[in-house]
């Protein structure tokens, strides 16, 4: 079994961990303490105190608030509501659905035709961080990426599950 | 013995990252080994190590060097330079539009050298930094097609501009590798001449390497990597080897310093193709085994070498080792012929852990290396290694590990094994440790068996040679039950690779790709043309080989030339390397002899029933080897002193754990055993650099050539 320092996990989150350590981390069985360390590092990166339970993206987390409700939250503190609801429904959305908009992100003729595929970009209404981009057919409903079973997850981690999971 | 009648003749140098070993052999076959810390100055390390070695004979460097006839160097400096990306800043000129292929790399380079689990997992794959950065790469408009025809003539003004920019940017060497240049080298040579001209105009002296002058073989990535290494890694080594050669001469040496090369011969440090000395350590053992086999009459040998981090295996059949055409080293695909070896990442120093999911013992893939294990507190290792297990079970002597230069703490090793391995598995410390050793032996045994049976052979037809620092410790374990004809442990196992280097021929080898295909419908004219193509390739290579020897002052008639070729059945993917039965080809009739030699070799390597000549025959490569006579070490020969070891060879006894019980193993000093001595297990035969374990149920005797024969009863 391998163990890592908090510094190494911080570097991992920042993408600055040296390759040899990263390679070892990838290849070896996962150490028990890692998830706790990982959450601790993420917690230090945000200015609020709600407990981070699971990251959904680099700046998007499922957190447990002071009154034990479980919500999706942006790194800036914006609350997207109950974690079982699709947070995207409460985000700002920008849809690239014509050639002009596509040409802003891809060279001419290298983007999909927007009759077939559009890009939907989801932003935080408070800080403007882009949290997700989906690339569906134009008529497709907003995708709910996944809804974690937090109780099962924390049991598997062998850590106490949040009260309302 | 009289020094004049018994001069020191051969010296082998193994310059590793931490230690520089030297190995001196006297005319009567007696040898000494010296060690010194490798420091920044390689020459100094070699001299210190030599002084250390020669002190055993009470002689000095100045005294011995003048009487020596040959010296072979192998070292890791060049490899470290590549791995650490600390080479000479090199500019690369390629065909326009192909500027990115070098940094993209072949896909296999993202997982070369990995353990099996990491190869099948995509997220551990990773490309190393390219040797040449994109900003030091330039494209030149030109194109030669796959038949060697010029499709777009080379735009030399672009080459001139490229060379100027690269030199102004600070590149210290320029490499040129254009598409299909192995078929038609004109464009590369033209660009090369332009680069040299620009360098002259700018008043700088930088080497220019055109791939066609070095490795005119197919496969762009391989050819480019290899030629880049010639500039990036070998050029700096040439300087160090030159300094070393000078300092040896200052001590009175009159021999030429030679370097072990991947094709199994030794080359001069002045050689044009020096990159082929990138990896040479493990090859030495195979060459040494072949040499011993030829002298002592073993024609089929399974070579096995255990070091701290890896287990290297190679097969010698009918006194020949197989060659691998595109060797890879340092995670780069290369166009270097390489003595074919199988390596697994498990060695005497592999780490031992418990897999938390399966609750089973897992070995490696990493190892403690020079830090030994938890038994050496100063090494700073907290994870149990295989060595720890050997130490607590009495296999190794904690007071004489590496000649006693390390202070080992047996109790610390025991505690680590208890907490990390034994307690989680609910076993006693002894059973856990011996389980680890059994597991390692089992895994080595399976690989050894697979290598032999996978090629259609049976271990019964082979003698197993076991060497390397760890070989003699494990020899009984990884050969048990395999049914080898014999298992042989040379008394100089630890220095066997250095010994092997010293037995290698002074030999250059050049390769060139050719495309020849002859079917049953081919007419006489086509066969004649094919024979002509091969002979023309040999002529071209002949000139290069002779040139290499001229650099070292040999005349052409002193060089023995051996032409060869790579042939395959058309429709098959793999070719075989064949020594040509004819020294020169002149007519279509000669073709049949080439085919016959291939058919015979194919039947030997695989089976005669597997031959498939229906679609005809192809030749993919021309090979030319040239060698000159060199002095080789003598194999020691001592009179038989009878079966009973002399009393002074005995070192007492110590408890030894084997198959779930403690037994009392007799201890012997390896150097004091005499030919003819017979020893029944349990026994442990110790020397400074290695330990030979003879467990219960095994016995061994030392023959007149100082080879131990291990016999399973």
């Amino acid at each position: 079994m391998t163990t890592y320092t908090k510094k190494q996990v911080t570097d991992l989150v920042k993408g600055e961990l040296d390759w040899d350590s990263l390679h070892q981390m990838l290849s070896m069985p996962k150490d028990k303490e890692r998830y706790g360390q990982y959450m601790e590092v993420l917690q230090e990166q945000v200015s609020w105190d709600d407990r981070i339970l699971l990251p959904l993206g680099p700046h998007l987390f499922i957190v447990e608030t002071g009154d034990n409700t479980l919500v999706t939250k942006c790194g800036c503190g914006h609350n997207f509501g109950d974690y079982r609801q699709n947070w995207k429904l409460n985000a700002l959305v920008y849809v690239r659905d014509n050639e002009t908009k596509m040409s802003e992100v891809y060279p001419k003729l290298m983007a999909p035709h927007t009759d077939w595929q559009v890009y939907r970009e989801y932003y935080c209404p408070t800080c403007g961080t882009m949290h997700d981009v989906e690339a569906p057919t134009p008529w497709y409903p907003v995708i709910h990426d996944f809804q974690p079973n937090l109780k099962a997850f924390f049991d598997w981690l062998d850590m106490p599950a949040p009260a309302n999971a | 013995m009289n020094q004049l009648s018994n001069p020191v003749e051969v010296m082998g140098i193994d310059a590793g990252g931490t230690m520089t070993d030297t190995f001196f052999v006297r005319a009567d076959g007696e040898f000494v080994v010296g060690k010194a810390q490798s420091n920044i100055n390689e020459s100094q390390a070699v001299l210190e190590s030599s002084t250390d070695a020669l002190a055993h004979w009470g002689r000095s460097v100045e005294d011995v060097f003048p009487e020596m006839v040959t010296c072979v160097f192998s070292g890791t400096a060049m490899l470290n330079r590549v791995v650490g990306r600390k080479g000479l800043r090199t500019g690369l000129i390629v065909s326009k539009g192909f500027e990115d292929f070098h940094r993209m790399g072949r896909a296999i380079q993202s997982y070369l050298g990995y353990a099996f689990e990491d190869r099948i997992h995509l997220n551990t794959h990773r490309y190393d930094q390219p040797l040449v950065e994109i900003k030091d790469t330039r494209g030149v408009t030109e194109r030669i097609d796959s038949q060697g025809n010029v499709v777009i003539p080379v735009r030399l003004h672009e080459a001139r501009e490229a060379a100027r920019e690269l030199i102004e940017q600070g590149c210290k060497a320029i490499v040129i590798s254009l598409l299909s240049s192995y078929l038609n080298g004109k464009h590369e040579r033209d660009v090369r001449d332009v680069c040299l001209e620009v360098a002259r105009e700018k008043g700088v002296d930088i080497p220019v390497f055109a791939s066609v002058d070095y490795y005119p073989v197919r496969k762009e990535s391989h050819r480019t990597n290899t030629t880049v290494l010639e500039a990036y890694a070998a050029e700096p080594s040439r300087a160090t080897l030159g300094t070393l050669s000078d300092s040896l001469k200052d001590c009175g040496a009159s021999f030429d310093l030679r370097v072990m090369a991947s094709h199994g011969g030794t080359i001069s440090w002045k050689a044009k193709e020096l990159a082929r000395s990138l990896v040479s350590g493990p090859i030495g053992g195979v060459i040494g085994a072949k040499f011993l086999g030829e002298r002592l009459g073993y024609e089929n040998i399974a070579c096995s070498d255990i070091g701290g981090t890896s287990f290297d295996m190679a097969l010698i059949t009918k006194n020949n080792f197989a060659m691998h055409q595109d060797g890879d080293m340092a995670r780069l695909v290369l166009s270097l012929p390489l003595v074919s070896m199988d390596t697994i990442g498990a060695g005497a120093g592999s780490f031992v852990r418990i897999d938390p999911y399966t609750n089973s013992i897992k070995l490696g893939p990493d190892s403690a290396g020079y830090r030994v294990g938890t038994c050496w507190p100063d090494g700073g290792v907290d994870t149990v290694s295989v060595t720890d297990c050997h130490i607590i079970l009495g296999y190794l002597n904690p007071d004489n590990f590496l000649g006693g230069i390390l202070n080992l703490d047996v109790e610390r090793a025991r505690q680590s094994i208890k907490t990390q391995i034994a307690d989680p598995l609910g076993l006693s410390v002894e059973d856990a440790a011996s389980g680890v050793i059994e597991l390692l032996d089992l895994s080595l045994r399976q690989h050894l068996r697979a290598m032999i049976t996978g090629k259609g052979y049976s271990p019964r037809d082979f003698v197993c040679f076991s060497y390397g620092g760890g070989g003699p410790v494990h020899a009984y374990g990884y050969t048990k039950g395999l049914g080898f004809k014999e298992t042989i442990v040379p008394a100089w196992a630890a220095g066997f690779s250095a010994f092997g280097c010293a037995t290698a021929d002074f030999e250059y080898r050049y390769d060139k790709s050719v495309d020849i295909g002859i079917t049953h419908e081919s007419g006489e004219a086509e066969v004649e043309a094919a024979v002509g193509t091969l002979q023309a390739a040999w002529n071209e290579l002949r000139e290069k080989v002779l040139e290499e020897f001229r650099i070292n002052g040999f005349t052409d008639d002193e060089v023995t030339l051996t032409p060869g070729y790579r042939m395959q059945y058309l429709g098959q993917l793999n070719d075989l390397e064949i020594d040509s039965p004819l020294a020169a080809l002149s007519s279509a009739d000669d073709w049949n002899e080439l085919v016959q030699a291939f058919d015979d070799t194919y039947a030997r390597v695989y089976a005669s029933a597997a031959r498939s000549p229906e679609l005809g025959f192809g030749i993919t490569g021309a090979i030319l080897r040239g060698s000159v006579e060199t002095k080789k070490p003598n194999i020691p020969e001592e009179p038989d002193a009878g079966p009973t070891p002399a009393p002074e060879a005995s070192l007492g006894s110590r408890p030894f754990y084997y198959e779930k019980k403690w037994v009392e193993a007799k201890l012997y000093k390896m150097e004091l055993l005499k030919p003819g001595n017979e020893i029944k297990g349990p026994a442990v035969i110790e020397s400074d650099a290695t330990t030979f374990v003879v467990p219960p149920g095994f016995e061994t005797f030392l023959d007149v050539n100082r080879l131990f024969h291990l016999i399973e009863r």
Side-chain angles (χ1 to χ4, degrees):
Chain A
M1 188 79 91
T2 41
T3 50
Y4 300 95
T5 60
K6 189 164 168 198
K7 164 98 173 68
Q8 284 174 309
V9 177
T10 309
D11 289 347
L12 174 72
V13 173
K14 286 193 207 153
E16 290 170 0
L17 187 63
D18 68 283
W19 169 248
D20 290 334
S21 309
L22 183 60
H23 188 175
Q24 190 179 2
M25 231 182 232
L26 287 164
S27 303
M28 292 289 168
K30 189 166 280 185
D31 45 300
K32 243 175 126 44
E33 305 78 36
R34 180 109 57 89
Y35 193 76
Q37 280 181 318
Y38 178 34
M39 290 307 108
E40 225 176 278
V41 171
L42 292 179
Q43 197 77 53
E44 282 170 14
Q45 290 179 354
V46 297
S47 54
W48 30 266
D49 294 333
D50 297 344
R51 178 185 163 216
I52 294 180
L53 302 175
L54 181 70
L56 294 180
H59 303 284
L60 193 66
F61 313 95
I62 293 177
V63 303
E64 185 180 28
T65 62
D67 58 0
N68 290 348
T69 53
L70 307 179
V71 300
T72 306
K73 208 166 181 179
C74 175
C76 75
H78 180 87
N79 189 335
F80 285 95
D82 190 299
Y83 84 103
R84 283 161 298 200
Q85 300 301 318
N86 192 353
W87 62 271
K88 289 176 185 169
L89 298 172
N90 297 320
L92 293 181
V93 61
Y94 180 71
V95 185
R96 292 188 192 271
D97 53 1
N98 62 43
E99 203 187 323
T100 320
K101 288 177 179 171
M102 281 292 184
S103 70
E104 290 172 4
V105 290
Y106 280 117
K108 192 173 164 61
L109 297 177
M110 293 189 73
H113 194 287
T114 49
D115 285 355
W116 288 96
Q117 191 178 48
V118 295
Y119 291 163
R120 295 201 289 243
E121 302 166 1
Y122 295 94
Y123 293 91
C124 170
T126 306
C127 67
T129 299
M130 182 202 274
H131 285 308
D132 198 23
V133 180
E134 55 192 34
T137 42
W139 46 265
Y140 203 84
V142 172
I143 299 165
H144 189 182
D145 289 317
F146 87 124
Q147 184 180 320
N149 181 339
L150 289 175
K151 172 87 174 70
F153 179 55
F154 276 82
D155 285 352
W156 178 74
L157 284 173
D158 224 358
M159 288 167 75
N164 289 322
Chain B
M1 207 182 289
N2 183 344
Q3 286 181 1
L4 283 176
S5 68
N6 191 16
V8 181
E9 297 189 322
V10 178
M11 171 186 187
I13 302 169
D14 185 4
T18 41
M19 298 300 276
T20 296
D21 298 351
T22 49
F23 182 83
F24 289 85
V25 192
R26 231 162 40 185
D28 64 353
E30 282 284 314
F31 59 88
V32 284
V33 180
K35 287 187 178 296
Q37 215 123 47
S38 302
N39 38 36
I40 299 162
N41 184 343
E42 269 175 331
S43 314
Q44 195 55 37
V46 168
L47 290 179
E48 277 176 24
S49 177
S50 307
T51 308
D52 177 44
L54 295 171
H56 293 285
W57 285 331
R59 303 193 61 188
S60 75
V61 170
E62 287 79 5
D63 183 20
V64 168
F65 278 15
E67 70 190 35
M68 281 197 327
V69 289
T70 194
C71 171
V72 178
F73 177 93
S74 76
T76 53
M78 202 190 291
L79 185 66
N80 292 341
R81 197 172 292 131
V82 177
V83 172
R85 294 292 187 267
K86 290 191 174 68
L88 200 63
R89 183 167 170 192
T90 302
L92 177 63
I93 296 179
V94 298
S95 301
K96 187 146 191 124
F98 289 79
E99 290 85 348
D100 292 307
F101 84 88
H102 173 65
R103 65 169 171 161
M104 286 161 74
R106 287 282 277 237
I108 194 176
Q109 289 183 177
S110 67
Y111 56 86
L112 267 178
Y114 275 4
F116 180 70
E117 297 89 330
D118 290 350
R119 267 185 273 159
I120 57 174
H121 279 128
L122 203 61
N123 50 0
T124 44
H125 289 198
R126 179 176 185 270
Y127 289 92
D128 289 337
Q129 279 287 314
L131 298 170
V132 178
E133 292 183 45
I134 188 68
K135 70 173 195 295
D136 289 340
T137 307
R138 291 291 178 280
V140 168
T141 308
E142 65 88 40
R143 186 61 57 85
I144 284 168
D145 71 9
S146 61
Q147 307 300 313
N149 306 308
V150 174
V151 181
I152 305 172
V154 61
R155 309 279 202 266
L156 288 177
H157 64 277
E158 290 181 18
R160 169 170 288 278
E161 184 61 16
R164 191 185 59 77
E165 285 175 10
L166 293 175
I167 293 171
E168 283 175 3
Q169 272 171 205
C171 292
K172 300 283 179 247
I174 295 178
V175 168
I176 304 152
S177 182
L178 306 177
L179 288 181
S180 301
S181 66
Y182 69 96
L183 291 164
N184 180 345
K186 181 168 188 309
H187 286 181
E188 271 195 12
R189 294 197 175 103
D190 288 349
V191 174
R192 173 197 68 194
D193 293 342
V194 164
C195 291
L196 288 169
E197 209 177 289
V198 172
R200 256 196 315 277
E201 286 164 18
K202 300 192 83 62
V204 292
D205 183 23
I206 62 166
V208 178
F209 301 84
S211 76
V212 66
D213 294 339
Y214 291 84
Y215 306 96
V217 288
R218 64 168 66 79
K219 295 186 181 174
E220 257 69 40
S221 295
H222 298 64
R223 172 155 52 86
T224 308
N225 280 344
T226 319
T227 317
V228 168
L229 282 186
E230 207 59 67
Y232 184 86
E235 227 12 64
S237 280
R238 200 182 301 276
T240 5
L241 290 171
T243 317
L244 175 58
S245 175
D246 288 345
S247 73
L248 295 178
K249 290 216 155 63
D250 288 345
C251 297
S254 56
F255 51 81
D256 259 321
L257 180 65
R258 289 181 290 139
V259 193
M260 190 70 210
S262 62
H263 66 271
T266 54
I267 60 178
S268 160
W269 66 273
K270 298 171 198 155
K272 284 173 72 187
E273 291 190 0
L274 196 58
R276 55 177 65 211
S277 62
L278 190 60
V279 170
S280 48
I283 294 166
V286 184
I287 313 298
K290 177 173 182 269
F291 174 79
L292 273 186
E294 280 168 356
R295 296 291 169 96
L296 304 176
Y298 305 109
E299 60 174 20
N300 296 328
I301 302 169
C303 308
S304 58
D305 177 351
I306 284 214
T309 55
S310 69
F311 181 58
D312 301 308
M313 302 166 286
L315 279 190
I316 295 173
T317 51
K318 303 261 180 210
N319 296 123
N320 276 307
F321 45 76
M323 294 296 291
H324 184 48
Q325 191 59 17
D326 303 310
D328 61 73
M329 295 165 197
R331 311 193 68 225
L332 295 165
V333 292
L334 298 174
S335 305
L336 289 179
L338 180 73
V339 173
S340 180
M341 305 217 336
D342 287 352
T343 298
I344 57 168
S350 286
F351 280 132
V352 184
R353 299 184 182 91
I354 300 290
D355 183 318
Y357 301 115
T358 60
N359 218 25
S360 57
I361 297 172
K362 190 174 179 315
L363 293 174
D366 48 347
S367 62
Y370 71 93
R371 297 186 296 160
V372 187
T374 60
C375 56
W376 186 38
D378 298 341
V381 173
D382 297 321
T383 308
V384 171
S385 73
V386 175
T387 308
D388 290 327
C389 300
H390 277 130
I391 290 280
I392 70 148
L393 296 183
Y395 287 63
L396 299 177
N397 180 353
D399 301 322
N400 190 32
F401 191 74
L402 287 178
I405 55 174
L406 302 181
N407 291 320
L408 301 188
D409 182 344
V410 183
E411 205 34 54
R412 184 168 188 260
R414 177 182 296 277
Q415 269 312 314
S416 307
I417 294 172
K418 183 170 160 48
T419 52
Q420 293 175 34
I421 313 290
D423 288 352
L425 295 177
L427 294 173
S428 71
V429 173
E430 287 83 7
D431 284 343
S434 68
V436 167
I437 293 167
E438 263 175 58
L439 184 70
L440 176 63
D441 287 342
L442 179 71
S443 137
L444 300 181
R445 192 154 72 223
Q446 280 173 342
H447 278 95
L448 198 55
R449 186 210 303 268
M451 178 183 71
I452 297 169
T453 56
K455 295 197 171 72
Y457 299 121
S458 158
R460 267 192 304 279
D461 301 323
F462 284 83
V463 167
C464 180
F465 271 45
S466 173
Y467 48 86
V473 183
H474 291 268
Y476 77 87
Y478 64 74
T479 59
K480 190 160 66 177
L482 279 187
F484 281 116
K485 212 189 273 176
E486 270 190 282
T487 299
I488 292 177
V489 176
W492 62 102
F496 196 74
S497 289
F499 162 84
C501 288
T503 67
D505 285 319
F506 191 2
E507 180 190 282
Y508 286 98
R509 171 196 163 117
Y510 272 84
D511 288 63
K512 181 177 170 64
S513 288
V514 293
D515 291 302
I516 296 172
I518 295 294
T519 68
H520 298 297
E521 276 90 53
S522 302
E524 172 121 359
E526 284 166 83
V527 176
E528 202 137 307
V531 167
T533 307
L534 183 58
Q535 184 61 48
W538 282 343
N539 291 345
E540 186 184 327
L541 298 177
R542 180 175 183 275
E543 205 31 56
K544 289 188 178 180
V545 168
L546 292 176
E547 177 59 32
E548 292 279 28
F549 281 111
R550 285 179 207 133
I551 296 174
N552 284 291
F554 288 96
T555 57
D556 294 359
D557 54 339
E558 287 174 277
V559 181
T560 311
L561 293 170
T562 316
Y565 53 95
R566 298 191 73 89
M567 195 178 239
Q568 66 185 48
Y569 292 115
L570 286 180
Q572 292 199 349
L573 292 174
N574 294 311
D575 48 16
L576 279 179
E577 186 172 320
I578 317 282
D579 278 348
S580 173
L582 300 164
L585 308 173
S586 53
S587 72
D589 294 341
D590 295 341
W591 177 258
N592 295 331
E593 292 215 34
L594 300 181
V595 166
Q596 189 59 48
F598 168 70
D599 259 341
D600 293 346
T601 310
Y602 196 91
R604 190 187 76 225
V605 174
Y606 302 104
S608 54
R611 292 183 289 190
S612 68
E614 309 81 44
L615 299 173
F617 300 85
I619 290 185
T620 56
I623 302 158
L624 197 74
R625 292 185 288 136
S627 60
V628 293
E629 277 294 313
T630 51
K631 174 73 194 175
K632 300 194 174 173
N634 286 320
I635 299 170
E637 203 168 327
E638 294 174 5
D640 193 318
T644 317
E648 64 268 23
S650 174
L651 297 174
S653 68
R654 83 166 163 253
F656 175 89
Y657 194 82
Y658 186 72
E659 293 188 337
K660 298 206 176 291
K661 55 176 186 285
W662 284 101
V663 291
E664 201 63 18
K666 294 185 289 284
L667 305 179
Y668 296 94
K669 179 93 182 134
M670 190 181 278
E671 285 74 15
L672 296 178
L673 291 175
K674 294 267 182 275
N677 287 177
E678 288 171 13
I679 291 166
K680 279 191 167 54
V684 176
I685 302 168
E686 294 181 358
S687 146
D688 283 355
T690 190
T691 301
F692 180 29
V693 174
V694 186
F698 285 81
E699 59 188 52
T700 189
F701 71 91
L702 185 64
D703 73 13
V704 293
N705 303 117
R706 291 204 75 79
L707 303 176
F708 285 100
H709 296 248
L710 182 67
I711 298 152
E712 190 180 349
R713 267 174 311 194

